[in-house]
Structures are given as C-alpha cells and as structure tokens.
Amino acid sequence: EALLAARRDLEGRTVLVTAGPTREPLDPIRFLSNRSSGKMGFALAEAARDRGARVVLVTGPVHLPDPAGVQVIRVETAAQMLEAVLRHAPAADAVIKAAAVADFRPARPAAHKIKKEAGAPVVELEPTPDILKELGRRKAPGQVLVGFAAETQDLLENANRKIREKNLDLIVLNDVTQPGAGFEVDTNIVTLVYRDGRHEALPPMPKRQVADAILDRLPWPRVRREA
Ligand code: CTP
Ligand code: CA
C-alpha cells in the first residue's frame, strides 16, 4: 500500500474498460487474433478502481488474473464483446476502449476441423461490428468516450479522423513502430488527442502510469449525467 492517500477522484463514477484481443474462429480449434496482451486495459481498470470508481472490465482472452474489486467479464469474439459492452455502457460515466478488436472474421467458420486433405482453404472474411462506433452513436450526454488507436503512419491525421467518425472525446494514440510502445510490453509511448484537435505527447512510461495519466485527463463534460 502506498503511504500517501490515493486520490479518490472517481468516487461515485462507473468506468467501463475493454481489454485484450478478440478471437474469431476459423473452425472449432483455430482462430484469427492479434498480439494484444491486455496489459493496458487491465492497468486502466486497476487505476480507476484505486481512484474509487466502480469498474466493469470486458476482456478478450489474456493471461492476466482478475483484478480484485473489479467486475470482470471474459469474452472471446468481437460479437460477444459488443454484447457485453452494450449491456454495461448505459450505466457508465466513462467508457475506455483499450481492446484490440479484430476488424475481420471468417464469414463462415467451419463446424468441424478443417482437414488438410481438402487442400489449402480459401477463407472468406467479413467485417466485425465496430463496437466503439456503436458506442459513439449511442453516447449519452455527459458520457466520456475514450478510444485507442494503433497506427504505423499518418498518426495524427488518422487519430483525428477516428475521433470524428466514432464521436469520441479523447483518443490514445500508439505508435506501434516504436520499441517500448504498444503490444506485449510493460511500457507505452502515447499521444493523447482531443476532440478540439489539441494533442499531448507523453513520455515513455509504465502502463500503470499511462493509465493514471489518461484518467487525470478525462475530458468530463460540465453537466454530470443522470444516474
Ligand atoms: N474498435 C472497436 N471495434 C472494432 C474495431 C476497433 O471497438 N471492430 C475500437 C478499438 O477498441 C479502438 C478503436 O476502435 O479503441 C480504434 O481501433 P483501431 O484498430 O486503431 O481503428 P479501426 O477503426 O479499427 O481502423 P484501422 O484498424 O483500419 O486503423
Ligand atoms: Ca482495427
């Protein structure tokens, strides 16, 4: 325990966080996924909890234990994540979408194991639902919506476009080409991009510190939303 009293600035708030990758099945034993470890989302959930929030964490498959004092919902696919998130979003004062949701899924997952005798399969993909965009459509007045963006080029242009397209208040931009940023590592190098176009580059920090920096800067609207 820290000697200094923790800031309890999120007391009375509900924060919904998503974390990890999603898994999109090809057949009963194979899937498409990505390198997300879930560490950034779990750090956000723990930081929000420590600051007094009620925290709901919807996570894809990751090798991390449930954080104490957090309501954890484990899902696999983008469709399952969408369902869980839409169930909990109406009660949330802030939604922070750190999950690395697969953009595409096999259009017709095989009911049985794909056998190699049949030759290399051609797998047709279809888009998954854009969970964050759906949250942006349904955003209640007073709710804060935070997205993440992993980019390798045209970082600020892409971030600004995503803020507009998804009706976000803040986007956490990750240059995944830098060592010490993004997937699988314990540190992150992010730039926070706000709706009004302002942006702030944070120095490389452990993910827990990045989480607290994000929570310090949540652009709360002036009017508090109805319970
Ligand atoms: N996201 C989501 N649902 C999806 C895809 C992405 O909710 N099906 C969310 C992610 O959780 C993240 C944000 O959208 O908070 C941005 O994800 P990113 O992959 O950077 O952007 P995309 O909109 O998917 O565009 P692209 O991958 O083409 O850059
Ligand atoms: Ca994507």
Side-chain angles (χ1 to χ4, degrees):
E1 279 301 293
L3 291 173
L4 291 168
R7 258 167 315 168
R8 303 285 293 178
D9 58 331
L10 296 180
E11 201 98 56
R13 304 273 198 190
T14 295
V15 177
L16 172 60
V17 180
T18 71
T22 65
R23 274 183 188 172
E24 309 300 332
L26 276 157
D27 71 12
I29 54 179
R30 303 183 179 102
F31 53 80
L32 295 181
S33 192
N34 61 64
R35 295 184 183 282
S36 172
S37 65
K39 285 175 183 170
M40 191 62 240
F42 275 59
L44 277 159
E46 290 168 0
R49 172 202 66 197
D50 291 348
R51 293 164 72 145
R54 182 176 87 85
V55 181
V56 180
L57 173 62
V58 177
T59 180
V62 295
H63 298 285
L64 296 171
D66 285 11
V70 168
Q71 184 182 351
V72 181
I73 301 167
R74 295 198 183 248
V75 299
E76 287 221 6
T77 65
Q80 291 164 359
M81 186 172 280
L82 175 71
E83 202 233 81
V85 164
L86 292 185
R87 194 155 16 97
H88 290 277
D93 299 291
V95 183
I96 309 179
K97 277 237 64 209
V101 183
D103 291 329
F104 298 99
R105 64 187 171 202
R108 285 173 297 276
H112 296 284
K113 185 186 174 191
I114 298 167
K115 300 298 283 180
K116 63 187 171 193
E117 295 91 84
V122 175
V123 179
E124 193 193 324
L125 301 180
E126 66 181 16
T128 57
D130 190 322
I131 302 169
L132 194 50
K133 203 167 178 171
E134 192 53 44
L135 288 171
R137 277 191 208 105
R138 298 173 184 221
K139 185 163 74 174
Q143 192 176 56
V144 176
L145 192 51
V146 181
F148 274 67
E151 303 287 356
T152 60
Q153 57 183 358
D154 305 328
L155 280 74
L156 285 171
E157 287 102 294
N158 281 320
N160 279 305
R161 186 176 42 78
K162 285 175 186 174
I163 287 187
R164 252 152 219 92
E165 283 178 3
K166 305 193 190 205
N167 193 21
L168 309 179
D169 301 292
L170 170 65
I171 197 157
V172 182
L173 178 59
N174 237 317
D175 179 354
V176 291
T177 62
Q178 296 185 73
F183 295 139
E184 288 168 335
V185 294
D186 290 315
T187 55
N188 215 351
I189 309 170
V190 303
T191 298
L192 303 184
V193 184
Y194 296 87
R195 220 182 152 83
D196 63 7
R198 277 181 308 128
H199 64 271
E200 179 186 8
L202 300 182
M205 298 191 281
K207 284 181 175 172
R208 172 58 195 249
Q209 262 170 263
V210 175
D212 274 304
I214 293 166
L215 296 177
D216 285 342
R217 292 164 179 77
L218 287 181
W220 293 107
R222 245 189 290 275
V223 184
R224 195 162 174 150
R225 61 189 294 271
E226 302 294 316

